[in-house]
Amino acid sequence: MSEKNIQTDVLVIGSGIGGLLTALRCSKKIKVTLATKSTLSQTSTRLAQGGIAAVQDFTTDSFEEHHADTLRAGHAINKPKIVKQVVEMGPEIITLLKTIGVEFDESLHLEGGHTHHRIAHVKDMTGKVIEETLIRAVRKSKNISVHEHMLAIDLLHKNNICQGATFFSNNKVVAIEARETVLATGGVGQVYLHTTNPIVATGDGISIANRAGVKTEGLEFIQFHPTALDESKSPQLLLSEALRGAGAHIVNTKGERFMKKYDERGDLSPRDIVTKAIFEEHKKGQVYLQFEENKKSIHKEFPTISAGIKQKMNLDLAKDMIPITPVAHYLCGGIKTNANGETSMKHLFAVGECASTGLHGANRLASNSLLEAAVFATKTADTVLKNYTKNKIRLSDKTTRLTPATQTYKLKSLRKKIQTIMWEKVGILRTTDGLKSAVHDLNLIRPLLPPPHIINEEISTTRNLLEVSLLIAKAALARKKSIGCHWRA
Ligand code: SIN
């Protein structure tokens, strides 16, 4: 039974760049409720180092080239119309973020798969600065009501019409009824043993949408970032591709560069190619990132990475060989949306990493993700503002069987088991037998979880991890041929 009901025009679930920008744009005209499972700033956006890919210098670069780079990285199964829409909105998004208060550096970075320097950034802390700037604006808005530590459990829906969602908050079940609902719940990195993603990236939105019968697609396309710090603890520190854009090379134990053996674009090949190359070379020994000459300015340009490496391994980014490894980084697929962010359920939208807009194809081009989230936040908000009066809230008498757990369940080891299965059998290189065995092993975990109506943060997110893992493993099994970041032996 719902303990408390809230009614709102728009419910936004999640507080990365997609959720915050959607909320801000809607709040100019209507009331918004923004709910997030942790604090506002605990998001993948905050950890994004690289920046936002957007054509800005039209004397050397063009929309056509950004479009072509995106298709080449995505192995041409991207949706060209969506690529065009996103790429052409790049400059507008940079202006929008500047207007809200983000101060980008003057230089543009270069990253893998890009034929030009076109990454707008703030040193190596672009996501953090964007997140903090947007949070300040959200906190100022009188039309946005913020609810932290509110975990979404399920959608409220009837006849394929979404009417909000149920949440777990303060050990209670809360229903938020909304005319329009936006899932901006981020990625799934925590399904893997090794990832750059924060602890909150448990695939909640995808799991919630799937339970309600909303269409998903492309879940087999998990992008492994080739250059995370090879440390035992997860999440692993990301070593931005922009380091390679600034002159760092990938080398083996003898200090030899090997990337040209795999692709003529060398160290700056798209991510799927670099990941596969490092995966192969790792069989022979450790792989490293290294600047050829002691480039001291690098400490100033990449302060987060430089300090992280010093603190974790006592290494010097400018002159030492830094041990690297590929780890799970980004979900290219997700909840299927159209050009306006609309899903297959009426009055339900998806924005950011949880969405599959068709931009990325089989492998995302570096720094296209914050751009995509911002573009679709804009499109979603504009569609919400046009349509929201058409959905009359009529579920106020809605009851739910959800019950907060009254006993403690020990789920840490089950979580680790899911992550290990996914890493070993649904990881960088996938085999038919491995994928079948993953589906089998994951199914054996299901009965070990409490019944579906028993909820709390740990139970519900572990349930989501398991469900999303199964969806990924089944999608990977169904796609028999290697393409992009889906690599079948
Ligand atoms: C990076 O800086 O290498 C990561 C940025 C991204 O994921 O696009």
Side-chain angles (χ1 to χ4, degrees), residues 5-203:
N5 283 350
I6 297 171
Q7 289 204 338
T8 185
D9 290 331
V10 194
L11 167 62
V12 177
I13 308 174
S15 56
I17 182 173
L20 295 174
L21 268 180
T22 307
L24 276 172
R25 197 165 175 100
C26 289
S27 72
K28 301 246 156 64
K29 302 226 167 101
I30 56 180
K31 295 244 178 281
V32 180
T33 300
L34 175 63
T36 192
K37 73 192 270 191
S38 178
T39 56
L40 276 183
S41 65
Q42 284 304 313
T43 64
S44 295
T45 297
R46 190 177 59 88
L47 298 183
Q49 296 172 351
I52 301 196
V55 177
Q56 286 157 89
D57 180 355
F58 286 88
T59 59
T60 57
D61 198 0
S62 65
F63 289 142
E64 289 73 25
E65 284 165 287
H66 188 181
H67 189 279
D69 291 348
T70 301
L71 285 178
R72 211 175 299 120
H75 296 257
I77 62 165
N78 331 46
K79 291 189 184 135
K81 268 195 192 146
I82 296 291
V83 179
K84 187 170 186 304
Q85 166 180 319
V86 172
V87 160
E88 291 185 359
M89 274 185 73
E92 181 184 329
I93 293 300
I94 299 295
T95 306
L96 171 71
L97 290 169
K98 282 183 181 166
T99 312
I100 302 174
V102 178
E103 290 179 27
F104 289 100
D105 290 354
E106 268 185 24
S107 65
L108 295 173
H109 273 161
L110 176 66
E111 292 185 354
H114 289 274
T115 46
H116 292 279
H117 284 71
R118 62 166 79 98
I119 318 294
H121 66 102
V122 187
K123 296 199 166 29
D124 62 354
M125 51 180 93
T126 316
K128 183 165 178 271
V129 171
I130 290 175
E131 182 78 18
E132 285 170 0
T133 309
L134 295 180
I135 288 175
R136 275 196 296 278
V138 162
R139 293 251 186 237
K140 266 197 217 146
S141 167
K142 289 203 176 65
N143 265 351
I144 305 178
S145 147
V146 173
H147 298 262
E148 294 180 299
H149 301 290
M150 220 175 185
L151 174 71
I153 303 293
D154 274 316
L155 293 174
L156 292 169
H157 62 101
K158 210 173 182 175
N159 304 329
N160 202 36
I161 296 173
C162 188
Q163 299 247 301
T166 48
F167 292 83
F168 177 75
S169 169
N170 269 331
N171 216 28
K172 289 194 179 88
V173 180
V174 178
I176 302 186
E177 297 162 354
R179 292 170 185 269
E180 307 289 337
T181 302
V182 182
L183 290 170
T185 47
V188 302
Q190 284 293 324
V191 306
Y192 287 97
L193 205 51
H194 303 290
T195 179
T196 57
N197 288 192
I199 204 82
V200 289
T202 50

Side-chain angles (χ1 to χ4, degrees), residues 49-50 111 225 238-242 271 329 364 366-369:
Q49 296 172 351
E111 292 185 354
H225 197 292
L238 179 68
L239 305 182
S240 174
E241 285 197 13
R271 249 168 229 184
H329 182 61
R364 173 174 67 89
S367 287
N368 261 357
S369 49

